[in-house]
Amino acid sequence: DATINKIAAGEVIERPSAVVKELTENSIDAGATVITVEIKEGGISFIRITDNGSGIDESDMPYVFLRHSTSKIKNADDLLRIKSLGFRGEALSSIAAVSQIELVTKNTESFTGVRYLIEGGVEKGMEHIGCPSGTTFIVKNLFFNTPARRKFLKSPQTEAGYIQDFMERIAISHPEISFKFIINGQIKLHTSGNNNQKDVIYHIYGRDITSHLVSVKAEDESFSLSGFIAKPAISRGNRNYENYFINGRFVKNPIMYKAIEEAFKPYIMLHRYPFTALMLTIDTELIDVNVHPAKLEVRFKNGEELYSFLYKSLKDTLEGRDL
Ligand code: ADP
Ligand code: MG
């Protein structure tokens, strides 16, 4: 049973950035408006995530660490209309199976909080504790019991870089949340949560990109698109500056890359790629996010329609502008 848990864990938790992603998304789903992420040694030895969200009720305590336990999906119908970032109920059990977790949480409605310890999937203790509403996860020594997986990790700097990439994207896609990200005691990112996406882009990418931004807004019956692109003067030799989000979720989606790059083609040199921070909103019944455990992939029921919508929206935005 423990082995099965570890194998399954590998699907979701490949590296420290996956832990940060899953826990941060849980904080967002819990309605947090302030989220602090702190890592040491690239997140391999230490990750701490603190939020001011709903907290976890004491009575749910051992259960949230069981496989397929989720409070976000109640029936098969819900799976067709996923509004939360999480829904598989796999993350906490997978992380707990391969690390040492300390969880401190207080549900908004409870008088006292709880501190819960779990290591390698085995409960190590639980006690009442006074604490503010919200949740803190401390994840230590990732893959301490799976040395092969630990060996597969890259250097702490590289792992920290993956986490920073994630933090920047989540901050861009959630300007309404204040994020603080700390590496080895140094603040790397601190957004205000004032819901101004341009401020977040400035904070992360600096003046160069921010002074070249063009705002994008488009809508039809099925889709709505908003966010920013940079004028073609700002371009890259790879797709690292292309940020796409669908219903608040960062995705790498071939339709989005293709449609937007195609619209940029007349303005941009061959093999150069634009800066984008574009949020697509689409009826949850028209997409399937339940394709891949990390949820980077999505399937569309009307992919061709989406392509045309994106292409046209960007073409209209770029056309006749002083680029
Ligand atoms: P999922 O997010 O798919 O539901 P997880 O394993 O990530 O599954 O989390 C299990 C459950 O634990 C969630 O459904 C939620 O009820 C609870 N939970 C996890 N993290 C938090 C948090 N930061 N605040 C409140 N509840 C949380
Ligand atoms: Mg989750």
Side-chain angles (χ1 to χ4, degrees):
D1 192 326
T3 318
I4 288 175
N5 254 334
K6 283 185 208 169
I7 294 167
E11 289 173 19
V12 194
I13 305 305
E14 298 177 320
R15 48 183 4 106
S17 62
V19 175
V20 172
K21 173 178 190 288
E22 293 297 336
L23 295 184
T24 305
E25 291 186 347
N26 280 346
S27 296
I28 295 172
D29 285 344
T33 56
V34 180
I35 300 174
T36 302
V37 175
E38 192 175 348
I39 62 165
K40 289 176 187 155
E41 214 193 308
I44 301 164
S45 62
F46 182 92
I47 296 170
R48 175 164 53 207
I49 301 191
T50 302
D51 72 48
N52 65 345
S54 63
I56 302 171
D57 192 68
E58 182 185 343
S59 61
D60 291 330
M61 196 44 77
Y63 305 112
V64 292
F65 289 99
L66 297 182
R67 248 164 92 63
H68 304 305
S69 85
T70 176
S71 58
K72 298 165 195 174
I73 297 287
K74 303 246 147 51
N75 52 51
D77 249 23
D78 286 350
L79 212 47
L80 301 175
R81 301 186 204 89
I82 294 165
K83 297 233 159 49
S84 51
L85 293 169
F87 57 86
R88 303 173 68 99
E90 287 180 333
L92 291 190
S93 68
S94 304
I95 297 166
V98 293
S99 69
Q100 301 162 334
I101 295 185
E102 177 182 345
L103 163 62
V104 174
T105 183
K106 188 178 95 58
N107 188 263
T108 335
E109 267 122 61
S110 312
F111 291 110
T112 57
V114 283
R115 179 164 172 267
Y116 185 84
L117 304 173
I118 180 167
E119 276 185 33
V122 180
E123 182 179 317
K124 293 285 172 175
M126 173 156 148
E127 61 184 5
H128 287 118
I129 186 171
C131 62
S133 291
T135 302
T136 297
F137 271 95
I138 299 176
V139 178
K140 284 189 187 153
N141 302 321
L142 188 62
F143 305 137
F144 77 102
N145 56 351
T146 52
R149 197 160 272 285
R150 199 179 169 120
K151 236 179 273 165
F152 176 76
L153 294 175
K154 303 206 173 123
S155 71
Q157 293 90 300
T158 305
E159 295 295 341
Y162 292 140
I163 297 174
Q164 178 141 358
D165 288 346
F166 167 76
M167 291 308 302
E168 292 177 354
R169 285 174 186 140
I170 202 88
I172 289 176
S173 60
H174 290 277
E176 78 285 6
I177 297 175
S178 169
F179 289 97
K180 195 191 268 186
F181 175 50
I182 303 167
I183 302 181
N184 300 330
Q186 267 201 321
I187 299 176
K188 293 287 174 182
L189 178 77
H190 192 180
T191 63
S192 68
N194 70 352
N195 205 16
N196 184 333
Q197 197 176 37
K198 209 167 179 173
D199 283 358
V200 181
I201 293 172
Y202 182 88
H203 186 61
I204 293 168
Y205 292 99
R207 186 189 300 273
D208 245 23
I209 281 188
T210 316
S211 60
H212 286 88
L213 290 183
V214 176
S215 135
V216 178
K217 229 167 191 24
E219 200 166 359
D220 74 2
E221 313 80 57
S222 310
F223 314 103
S224 111
L225 184 71
S226 71
F228 294 94
I229 54 170
K231 292 180 183 174
I234 302 289
S235 70
R236 284 227 125 186
N238 57 49
R239 284 174 161 169
N240 287 353
Y241 273 21
E242 284 185 73
N243 300 291
Y244 300 117
F245 307 90
I246 300 178
N247 294 351
R249 192 178 264 129
F250 176 75
V251 292
K252 295 194 171 181
N253 181 260
I255 296 179
M256 298 199 76
Y257 283 120
K258 192 139 189 293
I260 288 167
E261 286 166 10
E262 200 59 34
F264 262 96
K265 234 181 201 163
Y267 308 96
I268 212 163
M269 272 189 292
L270 204 61
H271 306 305
R272 300 293 293 179
Y273 300 88
F275 169 90
T276 65
L278 291 174
M279 332 276 296
L280 177 74
T281 310
I282 168 169
D283 194 323
T284 49
E285 299 194 29
L286 295 177
I287 52 169
D288 185 0
V289 289
N290 194 10
V291 182
H292 182 262
K295 310 180 200 89
L296 278 176
E297 289 168 39
V298 287
R299 262 188 221 124
F300 298 99
K301 300 224 166 92
N302 50 354
E304 276 160 45
E305 216 187 291
L306 173 64
Y307 182 94
S308 319
F309 168 76
L310 292 171
Y311 177 74
K312 185 173 180 310
S313 306
L314 261 287
K315 193 165 168 282
D316 292 350
T317 305
L318 290 165
E319 231 161 43
R321 231 168 226 284
D322 173 25
L323 300 170

